């Protein structure tokens, strides 16, 4: 990683502001959808270091306050720092002791401002964040990218999930999914990601947030299928092919 | 590439009960250790009791994260405190902090992922664990040009701290490594007195 020595000399001296960096330990896709009672979110527990699947116990989804759930992909150290910022935000909110508490909309807005302002200083937090929650019966699911692009939708995904999971969700998501159907749908997405994303790791968690609160499942692994006849002898009749 | 120090000590003390394993840039890891030792010293005085491993690790994380554009060092903070017992925190490049039951780092660690996936088990004894790490480092030395010389271990538990030293010539031999000899002449003299086929 010695390219950090080449500081881009656009502003002359190297002792001035930080420049855009590059990520070191990264998490891959987060996938989330709205269902009948709230939001379901899934993420694997991998922390990749380049092409090495280095860490396999990274929790990439965390509860924020009473009403929100945050999932992150990208640089893990930046996600950990965001959690520290949110800790302080929630603490100050609690200290008002006014019966009010920050909901998912507010947290999403706060994160958007943080991400966008860092982007403007050319020093981004290298994450794609998924923020889901329920407050007063209202379900909320939004996303913020490292450049501050933010939006809400009925289903969101980061990274590879955008390319592999969202088409599945566009096809099969519908209003008022049951918990079981929602989980099965997320697992379908996560399985495809496991097959087709180099950085995916077969150990994942699914989190649920409803009006009652947040539950994050214990880590578990998905079964995979390799028994296609085409996989057994792919080069029969065409030696040298694959 | 020149070997500046063939017997360096990469395990540095932060407090009586917390040590840090340094990798990457020696200068960077030394200066981070120095700052953390300084902060922990003051923290201990203020707290009135030994610092916890978690606090030490988070100080290291804080320096690593906030100076991520300048530092190039991977660190492992390990120690024992009365609240959580033995704990290990990995702090790779970038300043991520991750608590693990075991961890590896440094350039030679690339060759040890498979080894540990197979050989590490929950609940090893002190002796088993020390043998494992010595074996691991010696395997890394066998394949990593940037590793070599000696193996140093530090054991930290409720009873205290023990340092051990294993010189390079006492380590096990691996594939295509031969028993070291003083001279060819010794080999020739021990074998039968027949002329060599050249």
């Amino acid at each position: 990683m010695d390219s950090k020595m080449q500081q881009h000399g656009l502003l002359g001296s190297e002792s001035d502001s930080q420049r855009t960096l590059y990520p070191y330990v990264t998490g891959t896709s987060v996938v989330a959808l709205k269902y009948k009672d709230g939001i379901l979110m899934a993420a694997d527990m991998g922390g990749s270091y380049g092409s090495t699947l280095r860490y396999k116990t990274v929790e990439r989804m965390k509860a924020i306050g009473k009403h929100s759930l945050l999932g992150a992909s990208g640089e893990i150290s930046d996600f950990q720092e965001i959690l520290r910022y949110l800790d302080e935000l929630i603490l100050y909110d609690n200290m008002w002791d006014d019966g009010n508490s920050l909901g998912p909309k507010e947290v999403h807005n706060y994160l958007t401002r943080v991400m966008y302002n860092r982007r403007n200083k050319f020093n981004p937090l290298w994450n794609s964040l998924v923020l889901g929650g329920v407050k007063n019966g209202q379900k909320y699911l939004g996303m913020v990218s490292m450049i501050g692009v933010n939006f809400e939708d009925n289903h969101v995904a980061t990274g590879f999930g955008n390319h592999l999971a969202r088409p599945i969700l566009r096809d099969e998501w519908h209003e008022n999914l049951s918990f079981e159907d929602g989980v099965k749908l997320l697992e379908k997405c996560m399985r495809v990601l496991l097959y087709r994303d180099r950085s995916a790791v077969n150990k994942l968690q699914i989190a649920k947030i409803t009006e009652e609160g947040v539950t994050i499942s214990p880590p578990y692994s998905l079964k995979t299928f390799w028994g296609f006849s085409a996989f057994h002898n792919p080069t029969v009749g065409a030696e040298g092919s694959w | 590439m020149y070997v500046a120090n063939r017997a360096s000590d990469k395990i540095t003390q932060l407090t009586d009960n917390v040590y840090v394993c340094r990798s990457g840039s020696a200068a960077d890891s030394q200066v981070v250790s120095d700052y953390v030792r300084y902060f922990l010293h003051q923290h201990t005085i203020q707290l009135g009791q030994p610092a916890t491993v978690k606090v030490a690790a988070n100080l290291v994380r804080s320096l690593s994260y906030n100076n991520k554009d300048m530092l190039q060092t991977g660190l492992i903070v390990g120690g024992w405190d009365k609240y959580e017992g033995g704990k290990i925190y990995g702090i790779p490049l970038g300043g991520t902090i991750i608590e693990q039951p075991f961890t590896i780092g440094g350039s030679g660690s690339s060759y040890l992922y498979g080894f540990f996936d197979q050989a590490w088990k929950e609940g090893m004894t002190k002796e088993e664990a020390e043998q494992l790490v010595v074996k691991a480092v010696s395997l890394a030395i066998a394949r990593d040009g940037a590793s070599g010389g000696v193996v140093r271990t530090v054991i930290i538990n409720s009873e205290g701290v023990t340092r051990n030293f294993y010189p390079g010539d006492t380590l096990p031999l691996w594939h295509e490594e031969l028993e070291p000899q003083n001279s060819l002449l010794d080999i020739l003299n021990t074998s039968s007195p027949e002329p060599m086929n050249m």
Side-chain angles (χ1 to χ4, degrees):
Chain A
M1 300 275 179
D2 41 28
S3 46
K4 71 168 172 57
M5 292 315 236
Q6 310 151 243
Q7 294 292 355
H8 308 285
L10 280 169
L11 285 178
S13 77
E14 288 174 6
S15 60
D16 62 357
S17 52
Q18 286 182 329
R19 299 274 109 187
T20 302
L21 307 144
Y22 25 77
Y24 291 98
V25 180
T26 56
T28 184
S29 321
V30 179
V31 191
L33 46 78
K34 283 187 188 167
Y35 80 109
K36 184 161 59 72
D37 305 324
I39 313 291
L40 280 168
M41 195 185 292
D44 70 20
M45 300 190 76
S48 298
Y49 190 78
S51 60
T52 302
L53 304 174
R54 189 160 181 192
Y55 301 108
K56 297 186 183 182
T57 54
V58 183
E59 292 199 25
R60 299 196 289 115
M61 297 182 295
K62 292 282 181 184
I64 310 293
K66 288 196 284 263
H67 306 286
S68 310
L69 176 62
L70 175 66
S73 65
E75 170 66 48
I76 301 298
S77 66
D78 285 345
F79 173 53
Q80 290 176 342
E81 193 73 359
I82 287 168
L83 291 175
R84 290 170 103 91
Y85 287 146
L86 288 173
D87 235 359
E88 192 183 42
L89 183 75
I90 300 295
L91 179 72
Y92 275 82
D93 185 41
N94 289 341
M95 276 160 62
W96 283 106
D97 198 22
D98 58 0
N100 235 309
S101 51
L102 290 170
K105 258 195 237 282
E106 290 83 59
V107 178
H108 186 226
N109 176 253
Y110 172 80
L111 289 171
T112 302
R113 291 297 104 219
V114 170
M115 301 299 272
Y116 183 60
N117 277 288
R118 288 286 297 255
R119 164 266 191 198
N120 285 343
K121 296 192 283 194
F122 279 92
N123 181 211
L125 288 160
W126 207 285
N127 297 109
S128 287
L129 305 170
V130 173
L131 199 291
V134 192
K135 194 176 172 202
N136 300 330
Q138 292 274 50
K139 300 192 280 265
Y140 187 89
L141 182 58
M143 224 201 79
V144 195
S145 75
M146 68 187 257
I147 55 171
V149 172
N150 83 96
F151 55 88
E152 309 165 41
D153 209 335
N154 293 320
H155 47 81
V156 295
T158 69
F160 257 72
N162 274 308
H163 301 107
L164 297 172
R166 293 206 73 197
I168 299 174
L169 294 167
R170 279 185 210 115
D171 228 14
E172 300 185 26
W173 183 89
H174 57 83
E175 203 82 54
N176 290 319
L177 277 164
S178 68
F179 173 73
E180 287 74 27
D181 285 343
V183 170
K184 279 197 220 140
L185 191 48
L186 278 180
E187 285 178 340
K188 187 171 184 180
C189 295
M190 295 306 279
R191 190 175 287 106
V192 172
L193 288 166
L194 184 58
Y195 287 137
R196 298 292 184 171
D197 180 359
R198 168 180 93 165
S199 318
V201 139
N202 196 2
K203 193 196 243 180
L204 65 144
Q205 291 176 300
I206 294 196
K208 153 173 90 100
I209 180 165
T210 63
E211 193 75 54
E212 279 80 62
V214 174
T215 321
I216 304 182
S217 78
Y220 73 103
S221 295
L222 287 171
K223 281 199 184 162
T224 53
F225 181 70
W226 302 88
F228 295 104
S229 54
F231 284 3
H232 290 150
N233 285 308
T235 61
V236 158
E239 290 305 318
S241 72
W242 57 286
Chain B
M1 186 72 195
Y2 182 63
V3 176
N5 183 351
R6 67 178 170 104
S8 86
D9 184 4
K10 302 172 191 176
I11 309 176
T12 298
Q13 185 185 34
L14 295 178
T15 66
D16 290 343
N17 53 316
V18 183
Y19 279 67
V20 60
C21 303
R22 302 183 291 105
S23 72
S25 159
D28 288 353
S29 60
Q30 281 171 0
V31 79
V32 168
S33 304
D34 287 346
Y35 270 112
V36 174
R37 207 176 26 250
Y38 166 67
F39 293 140
L40 280 174
H41 186 203
Q42 293 182 85
H43 172 64
T44 305
I45 290 167
Q46 189 175 50
L47 197 63
Q49 56 183 35
T52 60
V53 189
K54 188 182 265 194
V55 165
N58 273 109
L59 284 168
V60 175
R61 179 214 77 96
S62 180
L63 286 167
S64 290
Y65 180 77
N66 290 312
N67 296 291
K68 64 159 78 187
D69 54 339
M70 288 187 284
L71 294 173
Q72 195 154 287
T73 172
L75 299 151
I76 299 172
V77 177
W80 185 95
D81 61 55
K82 69 183 187 197
Y83 298 103
E84 305 259 25
K87 278 279 187 251
I88 294 168
Y89 293 89
I91 302 160
L93 260 50
T96 310
I97 184 168
I98 178 145
E99 199 259 302
Q100 292 165 98
F102 76 92
T103 190
I104 57 178
S107 57
S109 71
S110 310
Y111 309 101
L112 299 176
Y113 284 93
F115 174 70
F116 274 94
D117 276 347
Q118 188 198 59
W120 182 83
K121 303 269 177 265
E122 183 94 61
M124 282 188 288
T125 65
K126 179 175 74 159
E127 289 72 28
E128 287 174 328
E130 199 189 11
Q131 268 169 37
L132 186 69
V133 298
V134 173
K135 186 174 180 186
V137 177
S138 101
L139 282 166
I141 289 171
R143 292 294 185 174
D144 177 34
S147 299
V150 303
V151 177
R152 299 183 191 277
T153 64
V154 176
I155 302 171
I156 312 166
N157 52 33
S158 56
E159 285 143 40
V161 177
T162 316
R163 258 196 185 274
N164 287 316
F165 176 77
Y166 300 86
D169 51 337
T170 61
L171 299 171
L173 293 168
W174 304 111
H175 184 54
E176 293 291 10
E177 289 184 331
L178 299 170
E179 204 58 66
Q181 308 284 346
N182 280 319
S183 166
L184 172 67
L185 305 172
D186 296 336
I187 303 170
L188 296 172
N189 290 334
T190 49
S191 64
S192 61
E194 273 176 46
M196 290 192 295
N197 291 324
M198 292 290 231

